[in-house]
């Protein structure tokens, strides 16, 4: 069985992530979406909330898709899941440069696991979770970037935390 891992913070999960999940699931028998916390980012949602959000969003996508939280090195997580492939989405040159370096380091840790890059659909390339949150914090409409349920969760969390900025 060919198992792939698609890791990310998914804070929040965007239409760009969903595109990579749908397409990545076609390359493997099982795609495991690894939801992790990036220590360089301050998440809007905690681990359990992000895992639940991703599970709800991937329900109904064709393929054997599993959502798992992890807090370890990606190569250790891939090994624990029996994965031989890591799926990564690329939006542009900046993503590629970062992912290229990360892939090189990961190969040093575990040469058995290959990384596969999927270019984001051209209509989804500008979408980044960080920007989605920023737009929402300033009261902008994020419906073009996330599903309605994710939009509602983001807007509610921003209101709950009193993060809404700009004119009121």
């Amino acid at each position: 069985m060919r198992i792939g891992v698609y890791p990310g913070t998914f804070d929040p999960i965007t239409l760009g992530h969903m595109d990579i999940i749908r397409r990545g699931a076609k390359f493997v028998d099982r795609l495991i979406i690894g939801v992790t916390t990036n220590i360089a980012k301050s998440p809007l949602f905690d681990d359990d909330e992000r895992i639940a959000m991703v599970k709800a969003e991937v329900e109904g996508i064709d393929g054997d898709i599993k959502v798992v939280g992890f807090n370890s090195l990606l190569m250790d997580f891939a090994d624990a899941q029996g994965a031989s492939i890591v799926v990564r989405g690329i939006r542009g040159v900046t993503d590629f440069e970062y992912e290229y370096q990360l892939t090189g380091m990961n190969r040093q840790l575990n040469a058995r696991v290959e990384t596969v890059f999927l270019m984001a659909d051209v209509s989804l390339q500008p979408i980044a979770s960080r920007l989605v949150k920023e737009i929402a914090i300033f009261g902008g409409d994020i419906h073009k970037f996330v599903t309605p349920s994710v939009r509602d969760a983001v807007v509610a969390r921003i209101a709950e935390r009193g993060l809404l900025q700009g004119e009121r």
Side-chain angles (χ1 to χ4, degrees):
M1 175 180 270
R2 181 172 289 190
I3 299 172
V5 170
Y6 177 41
T9 53
F10 306 104
D11 185 52
I13 187 168
T14 68
L15 297 178
H17 293 129
M18 296 297 294
D19 174 56
I20 299 300
I21 291 166
R22 276 187 201 92
R23 292 169 47 220
K26 295 176 184 176
F27 291 104
V28 293
D29 299 310
R30 173 177 293 147
L31 181 64
I32 299 169
I33 303 169
V35 179
T36 189
T37 299
N38 183 332
I39 58 173
K41 300 177 182 180
S42 43
L44 190 58
F45 298 96
D46 69 28
D47 294 352
D48 291 336
E49 290 170 324
R50 287 181 288 112
I51 290 166
M53 189 180 295
V54 173
K55 282 181 178 178
E57 293 302 312
V58 302
E59 193 172 296
I61 292 179
D62 286 341
D64 183 358
I65 300 173
K66 183 177 170 188
V67 180
V68 177
F70 78 101
N71 189 17
S72 64
L73 289 173
L74 174 57
M75 291 297 101
D76 291 343
F77 176 68
D79 245 1
Q81 299 301 315
S84 59
I85 296 171
V86 171
V87 175
R88 298 297 293 162
I90 301 288
R91 292 172 296 191
V93 174
T94 305
D95 280 354
F96 179 76
E97 289 176 357
Y98 172 75
E99 294 293 343
Y100 179 81
Q101 181 180 20
L102 200 57
T103 298
M105 295 296 286
N106 285 337
R107 294 236 357 121
Q108 295 296 316
L109 295 172
N110 187 342
R112 188 187 65 74
V113 178
E114 290 292 340
T115 299
V116 175
F117 298 116
L118 295 178
M119 291 299 299
D121 182 275
V122 73
S123 68
L124 303 172
Q125 284 177 358
I127 301 174
S129 293
R130 175 184 54 82
L131 297 175
V132 169
K133 290 184 286 192
E134 187 174 323
I135 290 166
I137 286 170
F138 283 96
D141 185 2
I142 59 172
H143 84 275
K144 293 180 181 177
F145 314 119
V146 296
T147 64
S149 60
V150 171
R151 180 191 64 222
D152 293 347
V154 170
V155 169
R157 179 55 48 92
I158 287 169
E160 173 187 302
R161 291 196 180 164
L163 297 174
L164 189 61
Q165 302 291 311
E167 294 182 28
R168 293 182 199 168

